[in-house]
Amino acid sequence: MKDRHKTMDRVAILAVMNSVLAKRGRAAISDEAQTTRAANFRSLDFSETALRIEMQIDRELAFDAASMRRIATVKDVIDFFETATRAP
Amino acid sequence: MMTTLIDPAARIGRNVRFGHAVRVYGNVEIGDDCQIGDFCVIGHPCTQPGASPLRLGAQANVRSHAVLYEGSDIGPRLETGHHVVIREGAQIGENLRIGNFSDIEGACVIGDFARLHGYAHVGRGARIGDFVFLYSLTTLMNDPLPPSHLAEPVTVGDMVTVCVNAQLMPGVEIGRGALIASGAVARGRIPAGVVVTGADGELAGPVRFVMHMASRTRHPWYKHFADAYPEHVRGRIEKLGAEIEAEAALAGTHE
């Protein structure tokens, strides 16, 4: 049976993001205040991060589309996934 | 001096315009208001006798040096680039747009409003859905043991996007709404609504999380790109896109 209440903390989410970047041979994120562009975190990285998080929490992420469009920095990405993993 | 050669047996609609040195064979039906560019060959004979006519729907714009074989049925508003080849036995829906030097190897089915950019290669027997994008240098293969007489054509679902230089291996079945990233090699069965990346064809996440980070434009594309299509078809795009999203959500991308 799937655990509907699995969540991930910020450290774990950042680790997933960095593992995606590492796979593509890019540097790890050093500062949450960086823009996604400065961090070299691209569109497909976002999608792959989402997939890996879904695999870890064993359910599909629920999210508000508008919040996704507000993302500008690494912090925004982590906030987005943190909120999405907590959603019922 | 070269002149246009039109077989009197060819059936040609009203207001069809021909460029210089066009060859039209007899086993051809051309709809109204078509434009055929210089040096095109329309209804090129097949090697096997008894082929059905080439039926070219109304309002086609076939640019110079294209070669369309007999035995294909092409819906209205075809738009080709230059040097396009469409072999026999292709069943093509409404408003295919196909870029320069692209090649459709025939015996295939292509849905409505497909978009093939330059240098796309569609292997024989392919099945391609509605609203599919094949970007430049994409190759849809069909021989699993080249060279051989075997054939494993590819299947590409509705609203699939195949990015530049992606390769679809023989027999691949791509679920609706999937995105094959540039340079990826897709094989096997690809679920609906997923992203495929890299030479190993990795499933790298759901399409609904693909977002252009700078502009925050996000997929699936029907939510931000339907305006690229004629108004009368946008409702159909919306409905199909919603259906595909539901299918992808139901299947899950990680199960």
Side-chain angles (χ1 to χ4, degrees):
Chain A
M1 183 178 164
K2 290 184 177 181
D3 177 358
R4 304 290 298 172
H5 303 293
K6 272 188 191 172
T7 60
M8 286 178 71
D9 64 23
R10 303 180 67 78
V11 173
I13 293 167
L14 182 59
V16 171
M17 294 169 68
N18 278 329
S19 69
V20 170
L21 291 174
K23 191 182 88 172
R24 307 205 200 284
R26 297 192 218 127
I29 292 164
S30 56
D31 179 3
E32 282 192 21
Q34 281 181 300
T35 63
T36 53
R37 178 182 284 266
N40 223 350
F41 190 78
R42 301 172 191 167
S43 57
L44 294 182
D45 305 329
F46 190 86
S47 181
E48 184 162 353
T49 299
L51 175 66
R52 291 187 182 200
I53 289 172
E54 287 186 342
M55 290 173 75
Q56 289 198 24
I57 66 173
D58 200 21
R59 65 189 162 87
E60 196 168 273
L61 288 167
F63 65 95
D64 164 29
S67 68
M68 192 168 157
R69 291 199 187 89
R70 284 194 291 271
I71 290 170
T73 65
V74 170
K75 178 180 179 302
D76 295 334
V77 176
I78 296 172
D79 288 347
F80 172 82
F81 282 122
E82 191 178 33
T83 304
T85 61
R86 286 178 179 165
Chain B
M1 181 180 167
M2 300 176 79
T3 55
T4 291
L5 297 171
I6 300 177
D7 190 310
R11 280 170 279 178
I12 296 172
R14 290 168 299 173
N15 192 33
V16 175
R17 289 170 290 163
F18 294 99
H20 176 72
V22 171
R23 176 76 157 106
V24 180
Y25 285 88
N27 198 16
V28 163
E29 298 173 16
I30 299 178
D32 297 341
D33 303 309
C34 291
Q35 183 165 329
I36 312 294
D38 298 340
F39 303 103
C40 285
V41 179
I42 306 298
H44 190 292
C46 305
T47 51
Q48 302 290 330
S52 59
L54 166 67
R55 296 190 181 89
L56 180 60
Q59 298 176 52
N61 183 4
V62 182
R63 292 189 172 83
S64 71
H65 299 275
V67 181
L68 311 183
Y69 277 64
E70 65 178 345
S72 286
D73 201 335
I74 301 174
R77 289 180 288 283
L78 169 71
E79 297 177 52
T80 83
H82 307 280
H83 293 274
V84 162
V85 176
I86 301 178
R87 292 291 303 268
E88 67 275 13
Q91 304 296 311
I92 296 172
E94 180 178 354
N95 191 214
L96 168 66
R97 284 187 184 167
I98 177 170
N100 298 337
F101 294 97
S102 287
D103 171 30
I104 294 174
E105 280 295 294
C108 62
V109 176
I110 299 179
D112 295 332
F113 297 97
R115 302 289 185 250
L116 279 60
H117 288 213
Y119 297 95
H121 172 85
V122 176
R124 191 170 173 79
R127 296 285 180 272
I128 297 174
D130 299 330
F131 304 105
V132 166
F133 289 88
L134 302 181
Y135 281 89
S136 294
L137 301 168
T138 51
T139 304
L140 280 55
M141 299 173 226
N142 75 348
D143 185 347
L145 187 72
S148 77
H149 296 298
L150 304 173
E152 291 181 11
V154 306
T155 303
V156 181
D158 298 332
M159 279 191 172
V160 163
T161 303
V162 183
C163 298
V164 169
N165 200 30
Q167 312 293 309
L168 308 191
M169 298 301 282
V172 67
E173 295 176 20
I174 301 179
R176 301 196 297 174
L179 186 150
I180 314 301
S182 63
V185 179
R187 54 176 64 81
R189 188 181 168 281
I190 311 294
V194 303
V195 179
V196 176
T197 62
D200 57 355
E202 184 181 4
L203 302 187
V207 165
R208 68 198 174 92
F209 279 110
V210 174
M211 179 171 67
H212 181 246
M213 304 303 282
S215 66
R216 289 160 212 150
T217 305
R218 58 174 287 249
H219 270 356
W221 65 258
Y222 80 90
K223 291 182 173 174
H224 59 83
F225 198 63
D227 62 353
Y229 290 86
E231 208 162 320
H232 76 272
V233 82
R234 291 179 196 165
R236 183 176 160 195
I237 290 172
E238 178 77 22
K239 184 169 179 286
L240 182 58
E243 268 179 34
I244 292 170
E245 279 204 276
E247 181 188 345
L250 196 64
T253 56
H254 52 276
E255 291 175 359

